[in-house]
């Protein structure tokens, strides 16, 4: 396990977190590369029986050091903006293994990705297809298309991360997808290569993926009847992790399911995991600034990390384990762990039994996905440092921001 105790002190692989905090300060995100690599290997092994490509969803954690190492393992990438494509290129990622998702790709982003000759555009509307075609013509290039279908499945543990229902803005119904393929077939610059979906996030069961795959394969069969043979099928991401007591997602079961479903078909499977690869590989280090009494026998532990650093508790009511980094030297009491930001919704954890003292160092677990990525400068707070732990050393892979960074692009006018 990446974050385990050695003689009472919580470590990131071989390195005591207290030493890392002493070197880089708090708040800081600490990522274990061996942990990400192990998750990637687990998924690779589970999918070994089917032709496949793992396209890491950059939005979960776009840190260049992680992207570069994933690229070296042979990972592809799932991007949702031109900015993410720039990150992938900077990290040495292969655009030929990169797919571009999202409902609102701008003309500029589309043309950038066409010039980089990415593996496929996950097209999400008729209007987007028209823009893609126009862009490819303008550039004298071609583009590969995979239509994102909305299979109308309820999955995901929070309404904000359920993306596969028919009420969702994402994807198109199968009937519309068929029109898009017809339209693509008339184009000299577009090549329809695949079909895909992304049904939600933090899904811990394989059944919804089976349901989604079945409806994608139905569509592929219909298209085959129309004379179009697809090569790729993209199941999206959304594989869940255990934050608290959830049954963890079983990649082996996914592997068995796709092997059966794709048997005898000439299709390469793409998956777009984000959270599954990186969530458990990160902790957020934060220090207790103040302890103050509160109502109902619960106190407030005011720490130096806030909702601007880690938004998931506020945005999704997400529960994350939080624990003292060093062996406790205080009695347990009930605390709301809150940040310095001027919002009542600014909390990291509510009603936890913790042995706390002023100055105590805490680790928030499971923050490697949608942690730093969702951070902001709200309250003019600089964003935290990011540290990557390798076998032999740890190093800062993103410096803590400075106020100079924040003010660089502003003028008084
Ligand atoms: C967010 C997203 C993913 C990754 O989701 P996870 O839950 O982090 O695995 C994959 N594909 C698309 C299209 C996404 O929007």
């Amino acid at each position: 396990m990446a974050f385990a105790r050695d003689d009472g002190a919580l470590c990131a692989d071989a390195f005591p977190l207290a030493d890392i905090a002493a070197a880089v300060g708090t708040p800081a995100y600490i990522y274990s590369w061996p942990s990400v690599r192990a998750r990637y290997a687990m998924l690779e092994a589970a999918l070994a029986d089917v032709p496949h490509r793992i396209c890491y969803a950059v939005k979960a954690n776009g840190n260049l050091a992680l992207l570069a190492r994933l690229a070296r393992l042979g990972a592809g990438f799932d991007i949702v903006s031109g900015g993410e494509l720039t990150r992938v290129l900077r990290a040495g990622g292969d655009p030929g293994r990169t797919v571009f998702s999202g409902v609102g790709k701008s003309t500029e982003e589309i043309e950038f990705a066409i010039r980089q000759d990415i593996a496929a555009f996950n097209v999400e509307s008729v209007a987007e297809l028209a823009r893609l075609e126009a862009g490819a013509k303008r550039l004298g290039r071609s583009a590969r298309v995979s239509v994102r279908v909305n299979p109308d499945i309820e999955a995901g543990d929070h309404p904000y991360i359920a993306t596969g229902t028919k009420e969702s803005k994402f994807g198109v119904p199968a009937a519309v997808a068929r029109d898009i393929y017809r339209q693509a077939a008339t184009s000299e610059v577009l090549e329809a290569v695949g079909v895909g979906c992304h049904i939600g996030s933090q899904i811990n069961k394989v059944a919804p993926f089976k349901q989604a795959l079945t409806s994608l394969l139905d569509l592929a069969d219909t298209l085959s009847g129309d004379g179009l043979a697809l090569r790729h099928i993209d199941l999206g991401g959304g594989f869940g992790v255990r934050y608290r007591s959830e049954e963890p997602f079983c990649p082996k079961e996914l592997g068995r399911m796709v092997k059966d479903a794709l048997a005898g078909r000439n299709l390469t499977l793409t998956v777009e995991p984000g959270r599954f690869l990186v969530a458990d590989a990160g902790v957020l280090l934060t220090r207790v600034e103040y302890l103050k009494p509160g109502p109902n026998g619960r106190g407030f532990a005011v720490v130096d990390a806030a909702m601007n650093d880690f938004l998931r508790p506020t945005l999704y009511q997400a529960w994350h384990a939080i624990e003292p980094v060093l062996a406790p030297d205080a009695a347990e009491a009930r605390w709301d762990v809150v940040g310095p930001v001027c919002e009542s919704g600014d909390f990291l954890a509510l009603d936890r039994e913790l042995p706390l003292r002023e100055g105590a160092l805490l680790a928030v677990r499971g923050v490697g996905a949608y942690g730093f990525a969702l951070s902001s400068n709200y309250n003019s707070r600089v964003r935290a440092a990011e540290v990557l732990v390798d076998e032999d050393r740890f190093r800062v892979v993103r410096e803590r921001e400075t106020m100079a960074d924040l003010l660089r692009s502003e003028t008084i006018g």
Side-chain angles (χ1 to χ4, degrees):
M1 203 162 81
F3 301 99
R5 286 191 188 267
D6 182 14
D7 204 13
L10 195 59
C11 297
D13 299 308
F15 303 95
L17 286 168
D19 291 356
I20 300 180
V24 309
T26 55
Y29 279 93
I30 317 299
Y31 308 129
S32 159
W33 168 245
S35 167
V36 178
R37 193 179 50 205
R39 298 287 282 185
Y40 185 87
M42 189 194 289
L43 197 53
E44 269 293 338
L47 298 175
D49 288 341
V50 292
H52 68 277
R53 174 168 294 165
I54 299 176
C55 289
Y56 169 63
V58 174
K59 78 173 191 285
N61 186 331
N63 184 281
L64 288 180
L66 287 175
L67 298 185
R69 282 164 178 76
L70 283 165
R72 269 181 248 145
L73 290 184
F77 297 94
D78 169 49
I79 56 167
V80 292
S81 71
E84 287 190 352
L85 180 52
T86 302
R87 276 187 180 278
V88 167
L89 296 172
R90 179 71 68 87
D94 181 358
R97 297 177 183 209
T98 298
V99 296
F100 193 171
S101 304
V103 291
K105 304 174 189 82
S106 71
T107 300
E108 204 184 353
E109 289 174 316
I110 286 173
E111 294 192 355
F112 177 30
I114 292 172
R115 276 188 258 109
Q116 294 301 327
D117 200 21
I118 64 165
F121 288 82
N122 289 343
V123 169
E124 305 216 15
S125 62
V126 176
E128 182 189 331
L129 189 84
R131 228 196 255 196
L132 181 60
E133 181 176 28
K137 280 188 174 154
R138 209 157 30 238
L139 295 172
R141 309 280 294 253
S142 60
R144 284 170 289 273
V145 169
S146 176
V147 178
R148 177 167 173 183
V149 175
N150 188 329
D152 194 21
I153 289 166
E154 304 245 359
D157 75 345
H158 189 279
Y160 290 0
I161 54 176
T163 53
T165 68
K166 63 176 184 292
E167 285 80 20
S168 154
K169 71 176 176 179
F170 297 104
V172 295
V176 177
R178 208 172 160 196
D179 289 341
I180 294 180
Y181 287 110
R182 273 199 206 101
Q183 202 169 315
T186 67
S187 170
E188 277 159 25
V189 293
L190 300 180
E191 187 194 2
V193 295
V195 61
C197 66
H198 171 69
I199 54 176
S201 198
Q202 183 56 5
I203 301 165
N204 291 71
K205 296 218 151 54
V206 168
F209 292 102
K210 184 173 182 185
Q211 215 183 323
L213 187 55
T214 304
S215 66
L216 292 184
L217 290 173
D218 281 350
L219 178 59
D221 289 341
T222 306
L223 295 170
S224 162
D226 293 347
L228 172 65
L230 297 177
R231 305 197 297 265
H232 294 280
I233 195 139
D234 185 338
L235 208 43
F239 312 150
V241 300
R242 171 178 284 172
Y243 287 112
R244 191 175 192 175
S245 51
E246 302 92 329
E247 193 60 38
F249 181 80
C250 179
K252 277 192 184 149
E253 194 183 333
L254 178 77
R256 285 192 293 271
M257 185 279 281
V258 294
K259 186 182 175 190
D260 288 350
L262 299 179
R265 290 177 181 266
N266 202 5
L267 287 168
T268 300
L269 175 74
T270 296
V271 289
E272 305 170 351
R275 191 190 310 270
F276 179 83
L277 294 180
V278 294
D280 286 341
V283 297
L284 173 61
L285 291 181
T286 181
R287 210 174 272 286
V288 176
E289 293 278 14
Y290 299 101
L291 295 176
K292 65 186 268 188
N296 310 319
R298 253 155 87 178
F300 294 106
V302 185
V303 298
D304 64 3
M307 63 186 278
N308 76 293
D309 300 298
F310 187 52
L311 189 58
R312 283 183 34 79
T314 303
L315 185 62
Y316 305 118
Q317 288 83 48
W319 188 98
H320 285 259
I322 183 161
E323 57 194 85
V325 165
L326 297 173
D329 58 353
E332 291 222 331
R334 286 168 61 203
W335 301 101
D336 286 354
V337 182
V338 302
V341 159
C342 299
E343 296 278 352
S344 297
D346 176 28
F347 57 86
L348 300 182
L350 299 177
D351 200 6
R352 301 290 174 88
E353 289 277 345
L354 288 166
L356 295 184
R357 247 182 222 298
E358 233 175 66
L361 191 58
L362 300 177
V364 186
R365 282 183 180 266
V367 303
Y370 308 104
F372 186 92
L374 278 166
S375 68
S376 77
N377 296 117
Y378 189 39
N379 279 210
S380 283
R381 289 169 53 84
V382 296
R383 278 182 295 174
E386 291 177 286
V387 172
L388 190 81
V389 175
D390 260 318
E391 269 88 4
D392 54 340
R393 60 172 163 173
F394 67 85
R395 80 199 97 170
V396 175
V397 287
R398 192 185 205 276
E399 298 280 349
R400 185 180 310 288
E401 274 177 337
T402 64
M403 276 315 295
D405 293 329
L406 255 68
L407 295 175
R408 182 158 298 135
S409 48
E410 278 184 59
T411 66
I412 286 171

